[in-house]
Amino acid sequence: DFKYKKALEYYEARDFNRALPLFNELSTVMMGTSNSERINYYFAYCHYSTGDNLMAAYLFDNYTSSFPNGKHSEECSYMSAFCYYLESPNYSLDPTNNYKAINELQNFINEYPRSERIDTCNILIDQLTDKLSKKAFENAKQYFITENYKAAIKAFDNVLIDFPSLNNREETHFLIIRSYYLLAINSISDKMEERLIRTIDVYRQFQDNYQESKYLKELEEIYNNTKEILDKLKN
């Protein structure tokens, strides 16, 4: 009881480093008592407040599992997802926690569709999705840079399918056209004509969708070169 009292005092004073080991011990010693719910709640927040987000996420989730009808069940469900969001890395790094955070945030939305936190969850999901789209785009771009144009086309197409709200859709379409063109002119004669025709098709689609694009001048040159090579092949 004395340790419980001191743990609360430390917590209220925001001395989380001192409160944490006490709540850690009390979470086992006082399991099943009337104070168990409160201890689990504060124990999770101690980890969150000291920056241990993954452990905090686990403990917030543990609270919702142990006390599904608890006073803080909605809050802890959100906090568990938010802790994974805080652990989501820069887009260039391993995206495991990005996917985990999106999944947890979506689970919260499904479980509490009338929560006042829904708008915040959607904003966080958009931010995480943007990170994933940037990573997918940069991975596709690496194929282009290393002159693996066939793989680049497939990867860019997947980026457009997987991320409908992609910020740089215009650049992605531009790189698809360049990939088709460079793939065509470096192809064996049997495949060159088919790929040149495909280059013209994707160019015309781009022209229709991005009439004021900064890339049109460069693409017009590609288009003219493609037409010229096609005419030579036909002759």
Side-chain angles (χ1 to χ4, degrees):
D1 289 340
F2 177 73
K3 287 184 177 181
Y4 177 66
K5 180 182 176 182
K6 294 303 292 183
L8 293 180
E9 287 179 8
Y10 289 140
Y11 185 88
E12 294 299 332
R14 303 185 64 80
D15 191 350
F16 302 112
N17 287 315
R18 285 187 177 180
L20 196 151
L22 293 176
F23 282 127
N24 183 31
E25 182 181 348
L26 292 166
S27 64
T28 302
V29 175
M30 303 189 79
M31 186 182 296
T33 68
S34 58
N35 292 322
S36 182
E37 180 181 342
R38 195 178 186 189
I39 289 167
N40 277 268
Y41 176 75
Y42 285 156
F43 187 33
Y45 264 107
C46 281
H47 280 282
Y48 168 74
S49 300
T50 55
D52 191 353
N53 293 315
L54 291 179
M55 178 55 74
Y58 168 78
L59 292 171
F60 282 124
D61 185 58
N62 186 59
Y63 175 96
T64 60
S65 300
S66 302
F67 310 99
N69 299 314
K71 180 181 177 181
H72 307 287
S73 57
E74 179 185 325
E75 176 190 352
C76 287
S77 180
Y78 168 78
M79 287 301 299
S80 178
F82 182 65
C83 286
Y84 282 113
Y85 164 81
L86 293 176
E87 284 296 302
S88 66
N90 183 282
Y91 74 88
S92 62
L93 302 176
D94 180 14
T96 300
N97 283 333
N98 292 40
Y99 286 111
K100 179 68 175 175
I102 289 173
N103 185 58
E104 292 297 318
L105 287 164
Q106 190 59 57
N107 286 342
F108 177 85
I109 291 172
N110 296 340
E111 180 123 11
Y112 301 98
R114 297 182 181 178
S115 172
E116 61 183 17
R117 296 180 173 91
I118 294 296
D119 288 343
T120 302
C121 287
N122 285 325
I123 291 170
L124 297 180
I125 288 173
D126 287 343
Q127 292 175 0
L128 292 164
T129 303
D130 184 53
K131 284 186 181 182
L132 293 175
S133 68
K134 284 181 180 178
K135 184 174 182 65
F137 174 78
E138 291 300 326
N139 287 343
K141 203 170 181 179
Q142 282 303 309
Y143 287 120
F144 178 83
I145 291 169
T146 56
E147 301 181 3
N148 190 348
Y149 301 119
K150 196 171 183 180
I153 292 166
K154 184 175 180 61
F156 282 129
D157 281 339
N158 287 336
V159 171
L160 293 172
I161 292 168
D162 293 340
F163 303 100
S165 301
L166 181 72
N167 290 328
N168 47 350
R169 291 183 71 83
E170 184 180 335
E171 183 183 1
T172 303
H173 282 289
F174 164 70
L175 290 171
I176 287 173
I177 298 167
R178 287 194 63 193
S179 296
Y180 269 114
Y181 173 71
L182 292 169
L183 177 65
I185 63 175
N186 288 288
S187 297
I188 59 175
S189 56
D190 289 346
K191 294 185 177 181
M192 185 179 290
E193 183 176 354
E194 176 189 344
R195 289 171 175 171
L196 288 169
I197 292 171
R198 182 59 182 151
T199 302
I200 290 175
D201 288 342
V202 291
Y203 164 76
R204 286 174 175 161
Q205 291 171 15
F206 184 95
Q207 197 177 35
D208 290 340
N209 292 321
Y210 304 102
Q211 297 179 8
E212 304 296 326
S213 175
K214 64 181 179 180
Y215 300 116
L216 281 176
K217 185 174 181 180
E218 182 177 347
L219 291 178
E220 187 175 347
E221 185 178 340
I222 289 175
Y223 171 74
N224 290 333
N225 289 342
T226 303
K227 290 280 288 181
E228 185 179 335
I229 297 169
L230 271 173
D231 289 340
K232 287 180 180 179
L233 286 174
K234 288 176 182 177
N235 291 332

